[in-house]
Amino acid sequence: MHQAEYSQRREALMAKIGKGSAVFRSAPMAVMHNDVEYTFRQDSDFYYLTGFNEPEAVAVLAPHHEEHRFVLFVQPKDLEKETWAGYRIGVEAAKERFGADIVYPIAELDEKLPQYLEKADRIYYRLGRDKGFNETLLKHWQKLLAVYPKKGMGPTAIEDPAPVLHPMRQVKTAAELELMRIAASIAVDAHNRAREFARSGRYEYEVQAEIEHTFRLQGAIGPAYPSIVASGANACVLHYTENTCQLQDGDLLLIDAGCAYEYYNSDITRTFPVSGKFTAEQKAIYEIVLEAQLRAIAQVHPGNPYSQIHDTAVRVIVEGLLDLGLLQGNIDEIIKEEKYKPFYMHRTGHWLGLDVHDVGVYQHGETPHNLEPGQVTTIEPGIYISPYLKPVEGQPDIDPRWHGIGVRIEDDVLVTSTGSEILTAGVPKAIYL
Ligand code: GLY
Ligand code: MN
Ligand code: MN
């Protein structure tokens, strides 16, 4: 991503925060076990505004400051530490490469930060997972509050930046979409390869390996989330990630896998028969989910309420389950009382972007959130008939021939000015028999 893009984002945010100062903390290092750490993954807000990809950093936006509107605090160069933990950009190079007006070593935070807060009317900061940094920020704020009566100036509130920043992240720019298309295209290739590879006798983890091999081979950072390769009744566990079972003819295989490419994510699910041929029951369920997905995608149009996507999918699923005799009663009542939930317990989609479950609201209180061009959502209806399904009063007992069928179909859909574009259309989902 070009530096100009980050600069534009910062300018857009600064225009919105007026007399405030915004403070963003890099993500903490996460411990995997003992003293082994996970690969560092930058905080998405931090990354969105800076492109800076190291821990132990702080970014400050102070639109009212005379000299330094964009300030970075970073880890200084330290050859000994870098020998162990990887190269650091350092104070000098960070100024050049990331376009900051000034860069300080992180150790100078306490000394330098107050000058960027003291003239602000509020501090935009999300109290987050880094408890130590929350304390640091509150300490600075309290000191400024203490001198407020004398100065008659200073921040009198801490405000969450999300309501100003996240609507920006929710609408993707051309440069972001370029990365999302690459993430989508790599995941498309991975799914198509997995489908070729999957057959009776293979293990779920072998299919997973094919998928993740494709991710890395094509330059993705890796999986966007733990890949789900769920055969048979494993598909009824929404976040099944053990991936240890052997594929059997007669089973369906549900694969939910996507990748992160330069921090932008894709998220695809496909379900297909291991043998290539559906049983009558599998086919009946698959057809309902496919119809629900296609009808839900057809709702993606600028101006349409987000909730219409889910409502449409739910109605198609309930109609289908009523037709099959797996639900009984009045359709509106079943929907209102959510009696379909034993079969369909999750939402039909989520925003997608720098986070897999990306930021942005779905509803504004009682007012719907209407779709806008540039927003990207997944559309992922499913039906799951767990063998452990509990009987529901007033609803039919489920014949065991339906047990263990789990189907989900998921695509990544961009809202365009005229409708929608399916970024992940390259993985087949029609039934070929
Ligand atoms: N695999 C995560 C999701 O579909 O939301
Ligand atoms: Mn998803
Ligand atoms: Mn998914």
Side-chain angles (χ1 to χ4, degrees):
M1 187 88 62
H2 204 273
Q3 263 313 308
E5 172 109 4
Y6 295 108
S7 167
Q8 279 164 17
R9 294 172 186 174
R10 289 191 296 269
E11 290 300 328
L13 182 62
M14 285 195 278
K16 287 181 209 276
I17 64 176
K19 295 202 176 98
S21 285
V23 179
F24 296 92
R25 173 64 163 160
S26 59
M29 290 297 300
V31 173
M32 194 183 236
H33 52 77
N34 201 7
D35 62 349
V36 175
E37 288 167 336
Y38 281 103
T39 308
F40 177 70
R41 204 292 188 180
Q42 188 56 284
D43 172 81
S44 296
D45 283 344
F46 194 102
Y47 190 77
Y48 179 80
L49 291 167
T50 65
F52 187 72
N53 197 18
E54 291 183 16
E56 291 304 318
V58 171
V60 181
L61 298 182
H64 52 275
H65 195 275
E66 295 80 11
E67 285 178 280
H68 307 146
R69 298 167 72 243
F70 172 36
V71 182
L72 272 177
F73 293 87
V74 306
Q75 298 180 108
K77 295 292 286 177
D78 180 331
L79 281 182
E80 199 191 322
K81 292 212 170 96
E82 288 174 60
T83 304
W84 288 89
Y87 293 117
R88 295 174 177 179
I89 284 159
V91 173
E92 308 300 319
K95 185 164 185 310
E96 175 89 2
R97 280 186 44 196
F98 294 90
D101 296 317
I102 191 158
V103 181
Y104 300 109
I106 187 75
E108 292 180 18
L109 184 93
D110 276 339
E111 183 195 334
K112 306 289 193 209
L113 183 62
Q115 64 183 298
Y116 301 110
L117 306 180
E118 65 194 5
K119 291 186 183 159
D121 66 352
R122 73 198 65 198
I123 301 169
Y124 287 89
Y125 173 70
R126 168 159 279 200
L127 289 162
R129 283 181 298 159
D130 188 337
K131 301 280 185 285
F133 192 74
N134 291 344
E135 291 291 320
T136 301
L137 197 93
L138 290 174
K139 177 187 75 186
H140 282 286
W141 185 40
Q142 277 164 339
K143 280 189 187 166
L144 294 171
L145 284 175
V147 295
Y148 187 91
K150 207 163 74 188
K151 295 194 167 179
M153 153 187 104
T156 51
I158 291 194
E159 200 167 307
D160 184 9
V164 273
L165 180 60
H166 291 175
M168 290 168 53
R169 278 183 55 190
Q170 209 175 356
V171 177
K172 274 66 185 174
T173 64
E176 290 181 292
L177 287 174
E178 204 174 300
L179 298 176
M180 292 194 73
R181 284 179 208 285
I182 298 174
S185 145
I186 296 172
V188 162
D189 285 354
H191 273 263
N192 287 334
R193 182 178 167 128
R195 189 165 187 153
E196 284 277 301
F197 176 85
R199 74 172 85 101
S200 172
R202 302 262 201 226
Y203 283 84
E204 293 166 343
Y205 57 77
E206 293 181 86
V207 179
Q208 177 186 359
E210 289 296 309
I211 290 168
E212 295 178 7
H213 172 83
T214 306
F215 289 167
R216 284 303 277 158
L217 202 63
Q218 296 197 28
I221 299 169
Y225 49 88
S227 305
I228 297 166
V229 182
S231 62
N234 295 335
C236 299
V237 178
L238 298 180
H239 292 161
Y240 173 82
T241 51
E242 287 89 346
N243 302 346
T244 47
C245 291
Q246 198 170 22
L247 312 188
Q248 323 255 359
D249 277 342
D251 279 350
L252 291 178
L253 181 62
L254 182 155
I255 301 177
D256 183 348
C259 66
Y261 184 83
E262 290 194 20
Y263 277 126
Y264 285 85
N265 297 292
S266 52
D267 183 3
I268 305 179
T269 308
R270 288 292 184 271
T271 311
F272 56 87
V274 170
S275 69
K277 194 161 165 49
F278 287 93
T279 65
E281 288 78 14
Q282 290 166 348
K283 184 162 180 262
I285 298 299
Y286 189 90
E287 280 173 338
I288 299 171
V289 177
L290 183 58
E291 176 69 10
Q293 206 232 12
L294 295 174
R295 295 262 298 276
I297 291 174
Q299 306 310 311
V300 179
H301 200 278
N304 276 1
Y306 189 86
S307 55
Q308 203 164 303
I309 296 170
H310 183 62
D311 293 347
T312 301
V314 165
R315 186 159 283 271
V316 175
I317 286 171
V318 171
E319 268 167 6
L321 293 174
L322 281 167
D323 284 349
L324 294 177
L326 295 171
L327 282 173
Q328 64 188 20
N330 172 277
I331 183 165
D332 295 314
E333 211 172 286
I334 290 173
I335 292 173
K336 189 154 168 269
E337 293 175 13
E338 300 187 332
K339 288 186 179 156
Y340 58 84
K341 277 215 163 160
F343 301 106
Y344 184 40
M345 60 299 282
H346 59 78
R347 300 289 297 178
T348 303
H350 52 82
W351 302 121
L352 184 71
L354 275 175
D355 289 308
V356 177
H357 292 177
D358 207 22
V359 294
V361 298
Y362 295 93
Q363 186 78 18
H364 308 270
E366 295 299 303
T367 312
H369 174 82
N370 293 334
L371 295 167
E372 284 173 47
Q375 296 176 337
V376 181
T377 181
T378 67
I379 300 206
E380 49 179 307
I383 296 178
Y384 313 91
I385 313 180
S386 166
Y388 308 107
L389 210 59
K390 293 209 181 73
V392 176
E393 206 189 311
Q395 289 299 321
D397 287 339
I398 305 300
D399 189 294
R401 69 197 163 97
W402 298 99
H403 282 168
I405 298 178
V407 174
R408 178 164 65 256
I409 307 172
E410 175 175 28
D411 281 299
D412 305 341
V413 182
L414 165 68
V415 187
T416 65
S417 57
T418 53
S420 70
E421 178 191 334
I422 304 174
L423 303 178
T424 47
V427 198
K429 59 188 174 188
I431 296 187
Y432 302 103
L433 284 181

